[in-house]
């Protein structure tokens, strides 16, 4: 997996960034080559080894062609989340930490369903918001009809009032 300057990438937990280039940095007695990543809306930078970007979780960001599947999962997916709080939080935390957009979409769909049916406890609501934010970052910068539909869906999902 090689990245070029200007490529949109995702580095959990930082989110979506852009490869600004490569640089050499010393590590112990050797010098290694790193991707230099810049993240929009912050001054943050990250350096990921060119030799093993997957070890840091670096991956290409979603493209326009990925959006139909993402939208489908947001609208109609189910996830069998544990009812017991501690077990549910482990699953939810794992999905959010992975940053994988299709899994985040399924989680968002399920938490939205829970929110509509009965409202969400505080920690589940925080997880719902985090999943939505990660998905919003993932589609930011994409301008197709599907990207706009996803942004609209996420905005509406967050602002829905639960039925009590």
């Amino acid at each position: 997996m090689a990245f070029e300057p200007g490529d949109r990438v995702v580095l959990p937990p930082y989110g979506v960034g852009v490869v600004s280039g490569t640089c050499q940095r010393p590590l112990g007695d050797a010098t290694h080559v790193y991707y230099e990543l810049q993240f929009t809306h912050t001054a943050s930078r990250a350096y990921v080894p060119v030799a093993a970007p997957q070890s840091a979780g670096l991956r290409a960001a979603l493209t326009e062609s990925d959006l139909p599947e993402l939208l489908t999962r947001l609208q109609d997916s189910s996830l069998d989340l544990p009812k017991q709080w501690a077990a549910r939080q482990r699953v939810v935390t794992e999905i959010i930490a992975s940053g994988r957009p299709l899994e985040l979409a399924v989680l968002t769909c399920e938490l939205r369903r829970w929110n509509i049916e009965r409202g969400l406890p505080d920690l589940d609501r925080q997880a719902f918001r985090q999943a939505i934010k990660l998905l919003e970052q993932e589609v930011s910068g994409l301008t197709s009809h599907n990207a706009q539909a996803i942004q609209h869906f996420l905005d509406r999902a967050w602002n829905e009032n639960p039925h009590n």
Side-chain angles (χ1 to χ4, degrees), residues 89-103:
Q89 288 307 307
R90 275 193 300 276
V91 171
V92 168
T93 300
E94 190 175 291
I95 291 170
I96 289 174
S98 80
R100 290 187 289 271
L102 296 179
E103 290 180 22

Side-chain angles (χ1 to χ4, degrees), residues 107-127:
L107 175 64
T108 299
C109 185
E110 187 65 25
L111 290 175
R112 176 180 178 246
R113 184 177 1 270
W114 283 28
N115 189 43
I116 290 169
E117 290 173 359
R118 59 181 175 262
L120 291 172
D122 189 48
L123 287 176
D124 288 331
R125 187 151 183 81
Q126 289 175 24

Side-chain angles (χ1 to χ4, degrees), residues 136-152:
E136 287 173 337
Q137 282 183 1
E138 191 84 32
V139 298
S140 69
L142 302 176
T143 58
S144 70
H145 173 72
N146 283 325
Q148 292 171 3
I150 289 168
Q151 288 284 7
H152 178 67

Side-chain angles (χ1 to χ4, degrees), residues 30-49:
T31 299
H32 298 274
V33 180
Y34 293 86
Y35 290 115
E36 183 176 351
L37 311 177
Q38 293 181 324
F39 299 92
T40 51
H41 309 301
T42 71
S44 297
R45 291 178 188 228
Y47 298 91
V48 176

